[in-house]
């Protein structure tokens, strides 16, 4: 029996502003037929006869190709653009995937389960009662409204899994509070960057050919990175450091470099401009362990600062200080020593301590609440190096609270010698492995932060 012909045409293409998302443009007198099927399959309507598939696991090309096969089997004409076909054919894998024993098919199964959990939360089928921080990931407890089954969720984005089930919400909440009383908070956790991206893709029309040009200012500060300078720096870093290897990702817009230990990772976004995040550095406890510290840098960051950050990754301190306390007087003195020796003075504004350069062009900011780990500021950067103005910086480097003090000191030293009002003065560089603090160095007072009450 032949499949009946349907007067509907579906054009599948990559999303113009979200690299992994896929758009479907429908035409024909019976366009409502594929429209209904795609919407039931998780595609989101963004405009008349335009749907978008946006997933937290970046597997949209794979699922779009499956949808195309089904539509064709139903007698609907499907066109796949060359650039989407290239994405479908591309073989990629997750760098530092925490379950390395999984095959590519099994990885997709894990992430598809995580996608279903995400969709259940988004559509209100899974009600999240509370969330908490467990080491460096998020855990949550919730109840499926249709079945009454309560679940314990572990992980974020494409790694979120149901780790346990309970007979009732009361039992689930009691157990959850016993395990995570210190960091437990009501309701769902704030959206991750990945969840924000997929939400943006679902709320953008996604009409082909409408990719906007990046917004840029008319002028850039003289010390900002020149176009292409970061690109060349990333290439030379890979070439000059044989223990680092470049990997492909799901998007041609980004490249990832992994250290041979598989515990340090540097990601570079080739398309980032201006204040966009161009660099993401992450350190892990082990090849399959939790993230210990991370840093980000925007595209306008001076290349000298980025080069300093990358060089600091090739030192023992990038590993050895992973278990250190997030903020102590010793850490504070170590990090700020280059600044104080050049005469930079501190100011205190609430939970923020600032060290602006004497010329006002750059500075260091410490978020004390984030650094000491209060839950209300846990996800915020502890340290920020900025350029131009503190309120509206043209570039920033943001670092988490467990960033090794020696890495931070490398950056503040580079900041100090670049923006010193006395060019001939150079602070002595403290050799690695030697005492970094002099007993005569005044200790900067740390404002008292009252820990948040747990439930």
């Amino acid at each position: 029996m032949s499949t009946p012909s349907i007067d509907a045409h579906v054009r599948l293409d990559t999303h113009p502003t979200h690299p992994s998302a896929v758009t479907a443009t429908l035409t024909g007198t019976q366009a409502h037929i594929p429209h209904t099927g795609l919407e039931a399959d998780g595609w989101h309507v963004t405009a008349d006869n335009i749907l978008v598939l946006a997933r937290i696991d970046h597997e949209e090309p794979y699922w779009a190709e499956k949808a195309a096969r089904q539509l064709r089997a139903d007698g609907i004409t499907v066109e796949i653009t060359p650039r989407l076909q290239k994405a479908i054919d591309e073989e990629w894998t997750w760098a530092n995937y925490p379950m390395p024993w999984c095959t590519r098919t099994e990885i997709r199964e894990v992430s598809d389960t995580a996608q279903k959990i995400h969709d259940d939360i988004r559509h209100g089928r899974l009600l999240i009662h509370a969330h908490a921080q467990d080491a460096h990931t998020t855990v949550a407890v919730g109840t499926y409204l249709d079945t009454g089954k309560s679940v314990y969720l572990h992980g974020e984005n494409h790694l979120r899994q149901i780790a346990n089930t309970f007979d009732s919400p009361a039992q689930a909440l009691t157990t959850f509070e016993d395990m995570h009383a210190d960091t437990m908070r009501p309701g769902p956790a704030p959206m991750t960057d990945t969840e924000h991206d997929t939400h943006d893709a679902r709320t953008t029309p996604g009409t082909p050919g409408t990719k906007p040009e990046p917004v840029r200012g008319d002028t850039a500060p003289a010390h900002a990175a020149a176009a292409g300078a970061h690109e060349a720096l990333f290439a030379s870093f890979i070439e000059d450091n044989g223990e680092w290897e470049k990997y492909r990702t799901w998007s041609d817009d980004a490249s990832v470099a992994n250290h041979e230990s598989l515990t340090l990772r540097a990601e570079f976004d080739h398309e980032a401009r201006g204040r966009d995040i161009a660099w993401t550095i992450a350190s892990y406890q082990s090849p399959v362990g939790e993230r210990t510290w991370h840093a980000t840098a925007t595209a306008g960051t001076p290349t000298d600062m980025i080069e300093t950050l990358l060089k600091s990754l090739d030192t023992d301190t990038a590993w050895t200080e992973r278990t250190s306390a997030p903020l102590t007087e010793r850490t504070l003195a170590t990090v700020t020593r280059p600044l104080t020796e050049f005469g930079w003075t501190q100011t205190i504004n609430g939970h923020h301590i600032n060290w602006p350069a004497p010329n006002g062009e750059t500075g260091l900011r410490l978020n004390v609440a984030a650094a000491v780990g209060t839950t209300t500021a846990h996800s915020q950067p502890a340290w920020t190096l900025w350029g131009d103005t503190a309120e509206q910086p043209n570039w920033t480097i943001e670092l988490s609270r467990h960033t090794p003090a020696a890495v931070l000191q490398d950056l503040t030293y580079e900041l100090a010698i670049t923006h010193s009002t006395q060019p001939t003065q150079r602070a002595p560089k403290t050799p690695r492995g030697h005492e970094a603090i002099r007993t005569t160095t005044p200790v900067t007072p740390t404002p008292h932060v009252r820990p948040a009450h747990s439930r």
Side-chain angles (χ1 to χ4, degrees), residues 136-431:
H136 293 274
T137 193
T138 300
V139 292
V141 61
T143 299
Y144 281 94
L145 299 183
D146 55 346
T147 65
K149 180 178 71 172
S150 295
V151 294
Y152 173 76
L153 304 176
H154 184 276
E156 299 175 350
N157 301 328
H158 64 289
L159 297 176
R160 184 187 280 141
Q161 301 178 40
I162 296 177
N164 202 355
T165 59
F166 303 91
D167 294 332
S168 68
Q171 182 189 26
L173 274 168
T174 301
T175 304
F176 192 80
E177 188 165 3
D178 288 342
M179 296 171 62
H180 305 291
D182 291 341
T183 61
M184 180 176 171
R185 290 294 179 269
M191 292 174 64
T192 65
D193 290 343
T194 298
E195 288 171 334
H196 275 295
D197 287 343
T198 57
H199 175 268
D200 291 346
R202 287 192 298 266
T203 55
T204 303
T207 306
T210 60
K211 183 173 182 177
E213 289 297 320
V215 177
R216 299 179 176 85
D218 293 333
T219 60
H223 57 269
H230 285 209
E231 202 73 56
L233 180 60
F234 181 78
S236 63
F237 176 71
I238 298 298
E239 183 178 352
D240 297 340
N241 296 274
E243 65 274 25
W244 290 80
E245 185 174 357
K246 179 180 175 181
Y247 284 82
R248 298 184 67 184
T249 68
W250 55 268
S251 169
D252 289 336
D253 294 343
S255 295
V256 171
N258 277 338
H259 190 267
E260 60 186 8
S261 65
L262 300 182
T263 58
L264 281 174
R265 183 174 186 261
E267 180 176 335
F268 175 63
D269 185 343
H270 301 274
E271 299 299 315
R273 298 291 184 272
R275 296 182 177 92
D276 298 338
I277 292 177
W279 298 84
T280 302
I281 310 296
S283 171
Y284 299 86
Q285 292 174 342
S286 69
V288 295
E290 299 288 347
R291 189 172 67 177
T292 55
W293 66 269
H294 63 279
T296 62
T298 58
T301 305
T303 52
D304 287 348
M305 298 299 300
I306 300 296
E307 185 175 12
T308 298
L309 177 59
L310 292 176
K311 285 182 177 179
S312 71
L313 301 180
D314 275 341
T315 62
D316 290 342
T317 52
W319 288 273
T320 55
E321 297 187 22
R322 285 177 178 163
T323 58
S324 61
L327 181 64
T328 63
E329 291 183 350
R330 182 184 183 87
T331 299
L332 198 58
T334 301
V335 173
T336 60
R337 178 188 174 194
L339 305 180
T340 57
E341 289 195 348
F342 273 104
W344 295 29
T345 56
Q346 71 174 32
T347 62
I348 298 178
N349 180 14
H351 291 321
H352 289 166
I353 305 178
N354 300 284
W355 290 265
N359 60 15
E361 292 181 355
T362 188
L364 172 71
R365 180 172 64 247
L366 168 64
N367 183 337
V368 178
V372 301
T374 61
T375 55
T376 56
H378 187 78
S379 61
Q380 300 175 15
W383 304 89
T384 301
L385 292 86
W386 53 266
D388 194 27
T389 64
E391 293 75 21
Q392 291 185 322
N394 276 319
W395 63 265
T396 58
I397 299 178
E398 297 182 334
L399 306 105
S400 67
R401 65 194 189 111
H402 284 291
T403 303
V407 173
L408 288 160
Q409 189 188 55
D410 283 346
L411 291 169
T412 57
Y413 179 83
E414 182 64 35
L415 202 66
I417 64 174
T418 303
H419 293 271
S420 172
T421 56
Q422 298 173 306
T424 57
Q425 179 188 5
R426 295 183 67 86
K429 184 75 168 184
T430 303

